[in-house]
């Protein structure tokens, strides 16, 4: 009987250990591609994380990286008018894999409406051509994230 109790206690501790490990795991970072629209849906106070690695060729060496997030109001995204003005925000870093605010980001835009971050060619040609991007929604939202190269930003 004592052996059975010991086994039960060990199993209980093991299951608690596994739950703790799972709760401490990092969120998924999805790969992002240039010139491809990425759609997502977020619950209240949630983030999606992305990683964009640029292949620096002569053709895009003198261009600016543009990242833009817009609210997705299309029917295919399951748009619901109650989420109108949900206002997704954009945070970008070359160092922090999980940029979540102004302090943990190198570039960010958290203005009301469409958010755009333009990263100059000087920063693209720096020591690192990988960018970590997060989209944040304070209220439940559907969004479209775009990334592309341009010769200028206006």
């Amino acid at each position: 009987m004592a052996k059975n109790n010991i086994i039960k206690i060990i199993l209980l501790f093991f299951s608690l250990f596994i739950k703790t490990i799972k709760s401490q795991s990092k969120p998924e970072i999805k790969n992002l591609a240039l010139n491809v629209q990425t759609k997502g849906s977020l619950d209240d106070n949630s983030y999606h994380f992305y990683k964009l690695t640029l292949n620096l060729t002569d053709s895009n060496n003198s261009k600016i990286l543009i990242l833009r997030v817009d609210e997705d109001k299309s029917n295919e995204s399951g748009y619901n008018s109650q989420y109108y003005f949900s206002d997704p925000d954009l945070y970008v870093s070359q160092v922090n894999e999980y940029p979540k605010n102004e302090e943990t980001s190198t570039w960010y835009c958290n203005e009301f409406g469409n958010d755009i971050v333009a990263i100059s060619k000087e920063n693209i040609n720096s020591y690192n051509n990988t960018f970590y991007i997060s989209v944040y929604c304070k209220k439940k939202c559907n969004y479209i994230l775009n990334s592309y190269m341009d010769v200028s930003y206006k």
Side-chain angles (χ1 to χ4, degrees), residues 30 37-48 50 68-89 113-115 135-146:
K30 301 173 187 173
Q37 279 192 345
T38 301
K39 294 186 176 193
S41 295
L42 285 167
D43 291 325
D44 292 354
N45 294 311
S46 297
Y47 292 87
H48 278 164
Y50 297 93
R68 178 180 175 141
V69 66
D70 300 289
E71 184 175 19
D72 183 3
K73 299 177 191 170
S74 67
N75 289 334
E76 65 211 39
S77 70
Y79 176 73
N80 183 330
S81 61
Q82 81 182 60
Y83 305 132
Y84 189 65
F85 299 125
S86 58
D87 190 34
D89 295 329
N114 302 334
D115 288 356
V135 176
Y136 168 75
C137 289
K138 185 173 184 171
K139 294 185 178 182
K140 186 173 182 174
C141 74
N142 297 313
Y143 66 87
I144 300 172
L145 177 61
N146 289 291

Side-chain angles (χ1 to χ4, degrees), residues 12-26:
L12 176 65
F13 280 120
F14 183 72
S15 66
L16 289 173
F17 175 75
I18 296 297
K19 285 181 184 179
T20 302
I21 296 295
K22 285 183 179 180
S23 69
Q24 293 175 353
S25 64
K26 293 183 178 183

Side-chain angles (χ1 to χ4, degrees), residues 90-154:
L90 190 59
Y91 299 97
V92 184
S93 175
Q94 283 185 296
V95 179
N96 184 357
E97 292 181 329
Y98 300 97
K100 289 187 168 185
N101 53 42
E102 295 90 343
E103 291 80 29
T104 60
S105 304
T106 309
W107 305 272
Y108 63 90
C109 186
N110 55 9
E111 300 293 320
F112 185 75
N114 302 334
D115 288 356
I116 300 172
V117 169
I119 300 174
S120 69
K121 60 185 174 188
E122 290 80 18
N123 289 309
I124 293 172
N125 294 325
S126 66
Y127 69 96
N128 186 350
N129 61 348
T130 298
F131 296 87
Y132 298 99
I133 302 152
S134 67
V135 176
Y136 168 75
C137 289
K138 185 173 184 171
K139 294 185 178 182
K140 186 173 182 174
C141 74
N142 297 313
Y143 66 87
I144 300 172
L145 177 61
N146 289 291
S147 60
Y148 56 94
M149 302 296 288
D150 207 341
V151 290
S152 66
Y153 170 68
K154 295 176 184 163

